[in-house]
Amino acid sequence: MAGIGQIGGMFRLLSSMTPVSPARAAPNPEVIKNARAAMERMKAEPDSAQTAQFLATKAHSVLRRNGEIVAVQWRDGTTEIRKPTGQPWDKEKLIQQGTSAGLAEGQMNDLYVRDLAKNLGAGVSIDRYDGRTDAPSRGDLMDSPVSGPARGRRLSLMA
């Protein structure tokens, strides 16, 4: 059997090539500084005020299927999807549509809920809390698949 150098032509040129190590770029000191600062923040104790504020965020709408929470739209505009479907949900597209239409934050939340319910499919019920003070908070709904009876205004939605 012939080696690659004995075949001739282009293979002879390839066999005589010497591998070259790529030149490494000097690390950016700012990137290293930011990475070290981020690692220190991760090691630090959590900020109790920020944690309390995070857990106090109220729900705008809770989406359920068979009594189990499948998604929550929070008043701060974040969305928690607990039971995703096979098809992806494109929130970025909705953000672009809403901001270009000049929607307020509450209207954006309504837009997210309607589109998310369609994405989750048939059998989804929505408990909408609007600005009610008895809306559940993140702390109330944390790690809970059901977290008690629905207290919101029930919307019927055809997916």
Side-chain angles (χ1 to χ4, degrees):
M1 181 171 201
I4 195 167
Q6 297 170 342
I7 296 176
M10 182 61 87
F11 292 117
R12 179 166 289 145
L13 292 174
L14 289 174
S15 66
S16 64
M17 292 178 77
T18 306
V20 177
S21 301
R24 293 189 128 191
N28 183 339
E30 190 66 26
V31 171
I32 292 172
K33 178 181 156 194
N34 291 341
R36 284 189 180 137
M39 287 176 14
E40 290 302 317
R41 282 193 308 269
M42 290 188 320
K43 290 178 188 175
E45 290 295 318
D47 183 353
S48 59
Q50 283 182 335
T51 301
Q53 182 181 358
F54 176 79
L55 293 176
T57 302
K58 298 286 189 171
H60 171 277
S61 297
V62 177
L63 293 85
R64 299 174 193 262
R65 181 180 291 127
N66 301 326
E68 186 178 14
I69 296 174
V70 291
V72 181
Q73 179 61 42
W74 301 104
R75 287 186 189 165
D76 66 1
T78 57
T79 307
E80 176 184 344
I81 302 174
R82 294 185 179 182
K83 303 283 183 182
T85 62
Q87 51 187 318
W89 183 60
D90 191 359
K91 187 174 182 178
E92 290 300 318
K93 178 186 75 162
L94 293 173
I95 291 170
Q96 291 171 358
Q97 288 174 356
T99 55
S100 66
L103 298 179
E105 186 175 35
Q107 294 170 317
M108 290 291 289
N109 284 336
D110 291 338
L111 176 67
Y112 300 148
V113 170
R114 282 192 306 271
D115 195 69
L116 183 56
K118 289 177 187 173
N119 183 272
L120 291 169
V124 172
S125 65
I126 303 170
D127 298 317
R128 183 170 172 204
Y129 296 93
D130 295 321
R132 291 174 40 177
T133 57
D134 66 340
S137 67
R138 268 196 181 101
D140 296 336
L141 299 179
M142 187 81 59
D143 300 325
S144 173
V146 180
S147 54
R151 299 179 299 204
R153 180 173 50 122
R154 181 62 52 100
L155 300 178
S156 57
L157 180 79
M158 300 300 289

